[in-house]
């Protein structure tokens, strides 16, 4: 068995090397590095902040609740804006390239979402099956509910990112018509949502969950379209201006310092996102622009580029499963007494973060080894679809739109369930949507299929 695993590992390394060596010269490698760094920092931040307790049952809290001094550190660890910035850049570039080969927006959407939906479906099915098995075996329903909630935390961001992907054709068209006025308008709308929340109308601010992240995604589109030049004359004012606004809004203004949600706070910067978080996003965008040329020159070296390719080959699996690793580690280490439970923030607690991180890294590596194949198999084909008319084209478009709505709605309903088992009907809605997208992707015949058949 060990020899088989070793052979598989060697094969994977050879495949990664071939992929790294076959990178097109025109590829903007910094985008891949930024994506890898963003997800890695999100994972590390979540792992550091979670503080698990075990008395009668597994519980926990965010370390930020009892460590006010750590809240400014979230300015470093809140890098999800980088992920959406890179997403906007990459989605615009991918859509343009696909259309250049004769493909349609619908065909691009189906291919682009394949690598997102396939590993997500694996997570949803696996977590649902594990929860059902645990309840059948008599596990405490509150413990099962909390475990499911923790494992599904990544679905929050995935809901919004999927929505941004499906809106990319529209947002790219808007950029080419109105330019930077589009993200500016979105920022204004986010500010109006914040004002409604401050005035006691929190419902009106819920649209910021989409509007704020869409604004960052739009900055990525603008960057790719050449509206944000990777020059110090542009990058430095963005970084400095964003930082100044961030300080003014948080230190002097009404927004909290923490860029991560803290339970019980009247106003939070991520739930839903605020203009303070957008100020951080502008700062990070300026820094990314500043590092662009130097970063690409460094990534031209084989070794660092191979590492970046390796991380990106399983980036969605890493993101989706990193909180499931927390659940597994908590159940293995705390009820058994293998890991002590000093008070959160004490010297002992801080020292125990190191073995905690090491265990989580091992568990996540195993999870990626088991479930990462789903993501690799779901990579979109470089082929194209031809523009279709009549019933076939209309059916494919309707199936895609319906499937996308069901996937996003099902994930949203699952994420909103809180610390309890997600509603079965929401899981079924998601699975139905995933099935519709798969059907639209494989029927009725793609351009790739016609080429295989000699058409």
């Amino acid at each position: 068995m060990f020899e088989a695993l070793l052979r598989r590992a060697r094969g994977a390394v050879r495949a990664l090397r071939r992929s790294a060596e076959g990178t097109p010269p025109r590829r903007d490698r910094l985008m891949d590095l930024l994506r890898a760094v963003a997800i890695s920092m999100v994972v590390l931040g979540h792992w550091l902040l979670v503080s698990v307790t075990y008395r009668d049952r597994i519980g926990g809290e965010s370390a930020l609740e009892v460590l006010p001094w750590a809240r400014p550190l979230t300015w470093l660890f809140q890098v999800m804006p980088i992920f959406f910035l890179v997403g906007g850049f990459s989605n615009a570039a991918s859509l343009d390239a696909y259309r250049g080969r004769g493909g349609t927006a619908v065909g691009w959407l189906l291919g682009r979402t394949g690598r997102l939906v396939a590993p997500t479906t694996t997570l949803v099915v696996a977590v649902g099956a594990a929860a059902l098995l645990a309840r059948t075996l008599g596990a405490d329903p509150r413990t099962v509910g909390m475990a499911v909630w923790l494992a599904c935390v990544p679905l929050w961001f995935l809901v919004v990112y999927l929505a941004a992907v499906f809106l990319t054709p529209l947002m790219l068209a808007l950029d080419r018509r109105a330019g930077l006025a589009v993200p500016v308008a979105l920022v204004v709308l986010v500010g109006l949502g914040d004002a409604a929340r401050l005035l006691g109308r929190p419902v009106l601010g819920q649209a910021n969950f989409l509007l704020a992240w869409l604004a960052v995604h739009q900055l990525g589109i603008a960057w790719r379209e050449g509206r944000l030049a990777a020059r110090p004359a542009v990058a430095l004012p963005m970084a400095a201006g964003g930082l100044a606004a961030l300080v003014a809004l948080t230190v002097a203004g009404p927004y909290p310092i923490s860029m991560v949600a803290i339970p019980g706070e009247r106003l939070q910067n991520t739930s839903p996102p605020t203009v303070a978080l957008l100020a951080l996003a502008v700062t990070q965008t300026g820094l990314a622009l500043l590092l662009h040329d130097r970063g690409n020159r460094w990534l031209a070296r084989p070794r660092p580029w191979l590492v970046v390719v390796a991380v990106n080959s399983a980036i969605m699996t890493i993101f989706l499963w990193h909180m499931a690793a927390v659940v597994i580690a908590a159940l293995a280490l705390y009820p058994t007494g293998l890991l002590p439970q000093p008070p959160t923030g004490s010297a002992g607690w801080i020292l125990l973060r190191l073995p905690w991180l090491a265990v989580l890294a091992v568990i996540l590596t195993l999870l990626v080894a088991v479930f990462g194949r789903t993501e690799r198999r779901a990579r979109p084909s470089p082929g194209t679809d031809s523009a279709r008319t009549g019933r076939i084209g209309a059916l494919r478009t309707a199936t895609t739109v319906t499937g996308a709505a069901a996937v996003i709605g099902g994930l949203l309903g699952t994420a909103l369930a809180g610390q309890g088992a997600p509603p079965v009907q929401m899981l079924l809605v998601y699975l139905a949507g995933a099935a519709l997208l798969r059907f639209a992707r494989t029927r009725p015949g793609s351009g790739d299929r016609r080429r295989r058949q000699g058409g």
Side-chain angles (χ1 to χ4, degrees):
M1 179 179 178
F2 178 77
E3 291 181 357
L5 291 174
L6 189 60
R7 285 195 301 271
R8 183 179 297 174
R10 287 173 177 170
V13 171
R14 286 194 296 269
L16 287 172
R17 283 178 178 165
R18 288 194 298 271
S19 178
E21 292 168 356
T23 303
R26 65 183 180 276
R27 186 176 185 87
D28 196 320
R29 300 185 180 201
L30 183 70
M31 295 300 136
D32 299 273
L33 174 63
L34 291 175
R35 183 189 299 110
V37 169
I39 293 300
S40 298
M41 291 293 285
V42 168
V43 170
L44 181 60
H46 282 165
W47 286 357
L48 286 173
L49 289 179
V50 66
S51 183
V52 180
T53 59
Y54 178 76
R55 293 177 181 86
D56 296 330
R57 62 187 180 92
I58 289 286
E61 60 186 356
S62 168
L64 293 176
E65 294 183 60
V66 294
L67 299 177
W69 58 264
R71 294 174 187 178
L73 296 178
T74 60
W75 291 18
L76 299 176
F77 284 94
Q78 178 52 276
V79 288
M80 193 53 77
I82 291 290
F83 182 79
F84 278 85
L85 177 74
V86 171
F89 187 104
S90 302
N91 288 334
S94 172
L95 177 57
D96 258 358
Y98 193 82
R99 282 172 166 167
R101 296 192 298 268
T104 64
V106 171
W108 176 81
L109 288 170
L110 290 169
R112 197 67 171 171
T113 56
R115 199 176 173 189
L116 298 173
V117 174
T120 303
T121 302
T122 301
L123 174 73
V124 169
V125 171
V127 170
L132 180 61
L133 178 61
R135 291 292 294 116
T136 302
L137 295 176
D140 176 31
R142 292 177 299 176
T143 299
V144 173
M146 176 172 284
V148 170
W149 172 74
L150 272 175
C152 291
V153 162
L155 298 183
W156 267 110
F157 286 107
L158 190 60
V159 168
V160 183
Y161 187 69
L162 277 169
V165 169
F166 276 96
L167 288 172
T168 295
L170 171 63
M171 302 311 292
L172 180 58
L174 286 175
D175 176 88
R176 290 174 176 173
R177 178 178 292 270
L180 291 173
V182 181
V184 170
L186 290 170
V187 171
V188 171
L189 291 174
V190 171
L192 292 175
D194 286 357
R197 293 166 65 194
L198 291 169
L199 293 174
R201 301 289 183 90
V203 174
L204 299 178
Q206 297 306 301
N208 285 3
F209 275 114
L210 176 61
L211 295 175
W213 293 119
L214 197 59
V216 184
H217 189 268
Q218 195 68 17
L219 280 179
I221 293 177
W223 183 358
R224 196 267 168 180
E225 291 296 291
R227 306 188 194 285
L228 298 176
R231 297 195 308 266
V234 175
L236 285 175
M238 282 194 72
L243 182 59
L246 179 59
V247 172
L249 290 168
T250 55
V251 177
Y255 297 94
I257 294 289
S258 175
M259 290 294 122
V260 176
I262 300 176
E265 283 200 339
R266 174 173 170 265
L267 189 64
Q268 300 180 0
N269 282 318
T270 57
S271 186
T274 63
V275 290
L277 183 66
L278 292 182
L280 176 64
V282 171
T283 305
Q284 293 174 346
T285 301
L287 293 174
L289 288 167
L290 196 62
L291 295 172
H292 181 265
D293 294 343
R294 184 176 300 177
N296 272 308
R297 286 195 298 270
W298 180 65
L299 291 170
R301 302 176 181 179
R303 288 186 179 179
W305 179 237
L306 179 61
V307 173
V308 171
V309 170
V311 174
N312 277 280
S313 69
I315 196 75
M316 282 306 301
T317 306
I318 292 171
F319 176 67
L320 287 169
W321 287 91
H322 78 277
M323 291 305 291
V326 171
V327 173
I328 295 170
L331 294 174
L333 297 178
Y334 288 94
T336 59
L338 292 175
L339 203 64
Q341 301 180 62
T344 301
S346 65
W349 182 85
I350 292 174
L351 288 174
L352 285 171
R353 293 289 90 181
L354 292 177
W356 170 248
L357 291 178
V359 171
L360 290 176
V362 171
I363 294 174
L364 183 58
T365 300
L366 294 174
L367 290 172
V368 170
V370 172
F371 297 108
R373 293 182 229 173
T374 303
E375 180 176 357
R376 289 189 291 271
R377 286 198 300 264
R379 287 183 179 179
S381 166
T384 62
D385 61 328
S386 60
R388 295 182 180 129
T389 58
R391 291 183 179 179
I392 292 180
L395 176 62
R396 190 170 188 241
T397 300
T399 303
T400 301
V401 172
T402 304
V407 163
I408 293 173
L411 288 179
L412 181 60
T414 301
L416 288 173
Q419 295 187 22
V424 174
Q425 59 269 31
M426 288 294 98
L427 295 178
L428 293 177
V429 167
Y430 167 80
L431 292 174
L436 283 174
L437 290 177
R438 181 177 176 82
F439 175 83
R441 201 157 34 240
T442 58
R443 304 275 195 272
S446 67
D448 292 337
R449 180 178 300 178
R450 285 194 297 274
R451 280 191 294 276
R452 287 194 297 268
Q453 292 173 344

